[in-house]
Amino acid sequence: MTDEALEEIKALIPHRDPFLLVDRILSLEGETLITEKTFSPKMDVYRGHYPESPITPGVLLSEAIFQSGALLIAKIAAPEELKAGVPVLTRILGAKFKRGVYPGDSVQITVKLTERISTAWFLKGVLKCKGKTAVQIEFACTLAPPSV
């Protein structure tokens, strides 16, 4: 991850290491954003999540999709809307886990805005590893004031 890519992401969402799960933004076209994450074999989680045969927890894969959704909102929302706060998850409408992601794997995450009702943003995310779908999830976010 380059410092420039990291700084762009940190300017858009509040997540920080060790819980920042997006390495770079690859593209933004209309209401669709594509990001990338490489899951370093050195991540602490692998010491305890099936240590004899480590696999990336589904909750972290889902969170990478949610963070990509937050990045999309930050990119396409009107500046005055963003003054309301930061994107927070309000609903998970469905999740399908189709294949594993392992230490050292790089994934591409595509998130798309499917609907917007008032302050609710409805999104669909797909995380692919080696070109194959690993996770599909539909979710909703809203902007909320920072807690600090």
Side-chain angles (χ1 to χ4, degrees):
M1 159 176 17
T2 67
D3 288 340
E4 187 176 306
L6 179 61
E7 291 309 312
E8 177 186 12
I9 291 166
K10 288 168 77 173
L12 294 168
I13 60 175
H15 304 80
R16 298 295 182 263
D17 193 46
F19 209 67
L20 180 57
L21 298 174
V22 177
D23 291 342
R24 69 187 51 80
I25 296 170
L26 299 177
S27 69
L28 171 64
E29 291 185 25
E31 297 178 336
T32 301
L33 182 80
I34 301 174
T35 63
E36 185 176 65
K37 170 67 179 169
T38 299
F39 288 93
S40 169
K42 295 179 182 180
M43 287 177 66
D44 225 20
V45 69
Y46 295 126
R47 291 188 314 114
H49 194 254
Y50 298 93
E52 298 301 317
S53 183
I55 186 170
T56 308
V59 67
L60 294 183
L61 300 175
S62 298
E63 178 64 21
I65 295 170
F66 302 150
Q67 288 181 19
S68 296
L71 286 165
L72 174 62
I73 291 169
K75 286 278 206 181
I76 66 174
E80 62 273 6
E81 288 180 282
L82 295 175
K83 291 178 184 173
V86 295
V88 293
L89 184 66
T90 58
R91 184 180 303 167
I92 299 172
L93 303 167
K96 294 179 185 174
F97 299 91
K98 298 182 169 272
R99 60 185 29 85
V101 174
Y102 301 93
D105 282 347
S106 290
V107 299
Q108 282 195 341
I109 302 157
T110 302
V111 288
K112 180 178 183 172
L113 180 65
T114 58
E115 186 175 10
R116 176 134 187 241
I117 302 172
S118 184
T119 61
W121 302 69
F122 294 87
L123 303 109
K124 181 175 184 176
V126 177
L127 182 146
K128 291 187 176 188
C129 184
K130 299 175 184 164
K132 296 186 178 183
T133 298
V135 181
Q136 293 176 308
I137 196 162
E138 294 180 43
F139 61 103
C141 294
T142 192
L143 295 173
S147 60
V148 198

